[in-house]
């Protein structure tokens, strides 16, 4: 079994040419537009040993100024949705606006795109 985070990163890897990809949720101070993967939930699937992972792609812009930050973030959202729409292993259900916290202060605008990936578990993986 390939880990769900690895599957997600493989599917969105084409974004890495223009944006930073962070494989897990952590405190960062982004210097360029960033896509962070956060696993949120796992549930059993109807198939034996299958699992359904729900994750968020957290899209972050380093810009704080309204206007330029919104433009950059909206462009990143469209890039991410295009890649996810064309990834055979991923589906997305919604994208919601949010704010990323830097040093305890909510500063940077974000989108959180909820995605789903299905896996089949094998022993030792």
């Amino acid at each position: 079994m390939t880990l769900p985070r690895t599957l997600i990163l493989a599917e969105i890897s084409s974004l890495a040419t223009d944006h930073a990809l962070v494989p897990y949720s952590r405190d960062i101070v982004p210097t360029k537009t960033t896509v962070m993967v956060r696993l949120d939930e796992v549930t059993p699937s109807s198939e034996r040993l299958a699992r359904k992972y729900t994750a968020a792609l957290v899209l972050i812009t380093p810009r704080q100024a309204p206007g330029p930050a919104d433009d950059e973030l909206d462009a990143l959202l469209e890039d991410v949705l295009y890649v996810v729409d064309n990834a055979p292993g991923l589906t997305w259900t919604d994208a919601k606006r949010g704010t990323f916290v830097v040093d305890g202060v909510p500063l940077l605008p974000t989108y959180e795109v909820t995605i789903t990936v299905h896996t089949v578990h094998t022993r030792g993986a």
Side-chain angles (χ1 to χ4, degrees), residues 25-86:
S25 184
R26 63 183 185 149
D27 290 333
I28 62 169
V29 178
T31 58
K32 64 191 247 183
T33 55
T34 300
V35 178
M36 181 185 300
V37 178
R38 185 186 72 218
L39 295 179
D40 289 336
E41 181 180 28
V42 60
T43 55
S45 194
S46 59
E47 183 181 321
R48 189 171 193 272
L49 298 177
R51 293 158 184 34
K52 179 176 105 174
Y53 283 84
T54 303
L57 298 179
V58 181
L59 317 182
I60 308 164
T61 176
R63 298 181 187 265
Q64 293 180 6
D70 291 328
D71 292 344
E72 188 171 307
L73 191 60
D74 291 348
L76 175 59
L77 175 64
E78 286 303 318
D79 288 348
V80 168
L81 294 180
Y82 177 84
V83 168
V84 171
D85 281 340
N86 287 285

